[in-house]
Amino acid sequence: MFICACHVYSLILNFEQGRILEKTGLCSQITFGRYVRQGRRLRVDPKLFIQDLQFNKVPVRVYQPKATSHGRRRGILFFHGGGWVFGSLDTYEKVCRYLSRESESVVVSVQYRLAPEHKYPAAYEDCLNATLHFMRNTDLYGVDPTRISVCGDSAGGNLAAAVSQTLAGRADLPRLRAQILIYPGLQALDFNLPSYHQNRGVPLLFRERAAFFALQYLNGDASHMQEVLKGSHIPPDMRQKYRKWVSPDNIPEEFKVRGVKALNPSDFMAEVYETVKRFCEPNLCPLLAEDAVVHQLPESFILTCEYDVLRDDGLLYKKRLEDNGVQVTWCHLEDGFHGIISLYDYGGLSFPSGKRGLDSVVNFLKGL
């Protein structure tokens, strides 16, 4: 565990180095972060066929089990995490290989365009277009069109939820079999929910970085980050409208035992709202979708971690789904932190709770 902690510390150190380099003008934090996070291609996997393709001009990597199947396989669209600004096909190679091998499914990992070079809705559109292409060409990959699921972690969980909502109720396509959301970020209205304060300084995702990444995805401008963190970016009437879905009152009491301070948002600033008002669009913040959409969503799996600023986003969405009659399988890692799944076999090591979380995803998939 000490060695694993050192890996986490090295990631935090890389973040601080990126800030220093940006201040000196050598390169941006994001450029440096991408450099240190870049993965590398692994050796040939004896159990998988792996090929890089393009779906509707979107780069993807397809993982297909070599073992003979007695019928058509499940299909999984995987959207990687990284705050919409980091991540690649290579950085999630081990995770996708594991999901494909262990669940005996065809996995399609999607390389969506990254912010801030490509702002919202670029990432969402890429994930949607890749999903539509796959759903219309299942015969090419031996996939059962009625057993396709979308899956993602962190920012990828956000994208999976948005794609699932967009496809809900489509009569021209088979219904998605499931959505799998791994510690997803689902709203940007309230960065003062209990988990944001309880875990504000817990790696790998600090409270300030959560707002920074959301702003980078939205418009590439984090100059109003402090106002967003204080809640000055949402009009009082709109905050009241969404309070039924985004409120500490909807968080179970057992998640408040580590101490929660009731905070009132700062005074509304209309000029800030004008720059971030698209935060109220469900394709960017799926927690804000209307009930008419939510009740049509497929069976869902949600993974949350106790030591994660995004924990409450997952808990709130779980409640919304259940309130609308959607079947939810919930996995909560009591000793987990944000990003723990992406560290599977990181540097030859894994956190035990991360492995449990990944196996819970596999077990869910096997039941579909």
Side-chain angles (χ1 to χ4, degrees), residues 34-52:
R34 288 175 183 167
Y35 172 75
V36 298
R37 287 172 172 83
Q38 62 185 347
R40 57 187 179 84
R41 291 299 300 268
L42 304 177
R43 296 178 180 177
V44 173
D45 191 310
K47 295 185 178 181
L48 298 173
F49 292 112
I50 303 174
Q51 56 181 334
D52 288 351

Side-chain angles (χ1 to χ4, degrees), residues 187-193 196 228 233-234 239 246-248 313:
Q187 59 86 31
L189 266 66
D190 191 347
F191 289 93
N192 291 294
L193 293 169
Y196 275 101
V228 169
H233 62 306
I234 302 297
R239 187 177 296 279
V246 185
S247 169
D313 283 27

Side-chain angles (χ1 to χ4, degrees), residues 143-246:
V143 167
D144 183 342
T146 67
R147 300 173 73 200
I148 295 175
S149 302
V150 291
C151 174
D153 75 311
S154 191
N158 167 283
L159 295 167
V163 168
S164 186
Q165 289 181 2
T166 300
L167 297 178
R170 285 274 296 256
D172 59 325
L173 293 167
R175 190 169 187 264
L176 285 176
R177 181 62 183 85
Q179 60 173 349
I180 300 165
L181 313 179
I182 301 170
Y183 37 75
L186 299 169
Q187 59 86 31
L189 266 66
D190 191 347
F191 289 93
N192 291 294
L193 293 169
S195 61
Y196 275 101
H197 283 283
Q198 292 169 336
N199 304 306
R200 60 187 177 276
V202 178
L204 298 171
L205 182 63
F206 303 139
R207 175 173 173 262
E208 286 194 358
R209 301 310 286 177
F212 173 82
F213 289 141
L215 287 165
Q216 290 295 323
Y217 179 40
L218 173 66
N219 56 23
D221 180 8
S223 60
H224 291 300
M225 183 176 71
Q226 291 304 320
E227 291 86 350
V228 169
L229 286 169
K230 293 175 183 177
S232 301
H233 62 306
I234 302 297
D237 59 334
M238 192 168 293
R239 187 177 296 279
Q240 185 62 35
K241 172 186 175 182
Y242 290 120
R243 183 171 176 79
K244 58 185 176 181
W245 300 330
V246 185

Side-chain angles (χ1 to χ4, degrees), residues 260-305:
V260 177
K261 291 190 297 184
L263 297 173
N264 293 319
S266 298
D267 292 340
F268 170 61
M269 300 175 67
E271 65 274 21
V272 176
Y273 170 68
E274 285 302 314
T275 68
V276 303
K277 57 186 177 183
R278 297 191 76 182
F279 273 156
C280 297
E281 296 182 12
N283 286 342
L284 180 56
C285 295
L287 186 56
L288 306 185
E290 295 295 331
D291 286 340
V293 173
V294 176
H295 92 270
Q296 296 184 76
L297 292 173
E299 183 177 350
S300 303
F301 175 97
I302 295 179
L303 183 144
T304 55
C305 293

Side-chain angles (χ1 to χ4, degrees), residues 21 41 57 89 118 134 220 251 260 272 354:
L21 289 172
R41 291 299 300 268
K57 299 182 180 180
L89 300 177
H118 304 282
F134 187 57
I251 305 296
V260 177
V272 176

Side-chain angles (χ1 to χ4, degrees), residues 58-79:
V58 179
V60 301
R61 184 166 293 163
V62 181
Y63 303 81
Q64 295 175 271
K66 290 181 178 180
T68 302
S69 175
H70 297 297
R72 295 191 172 214
R73 298 187 186 277
R74 303 175 202 86
I76 305 165
L77 278 300
F78 183 86
F79 311 136

Side-chain angles (χ1 to χ4, degrees), residues 335-368:
D335 54 350
F337 56 87
H338 191 84
I340 197 168
I341 300 297
S342 65
L343 295 178
Y344 166 71
D345 200 16
Y346 181 84
L349 296 166
S350 290
F351 290 85
S353 59
K355 178 64 162 49
R356 290 199 308 272
L358 196 55
D359 284 339
S360 70
V361 173
V362 169
N363 290 334
F364 175 78
L365 286 167
K366 286 181 176 179
L368 299 178

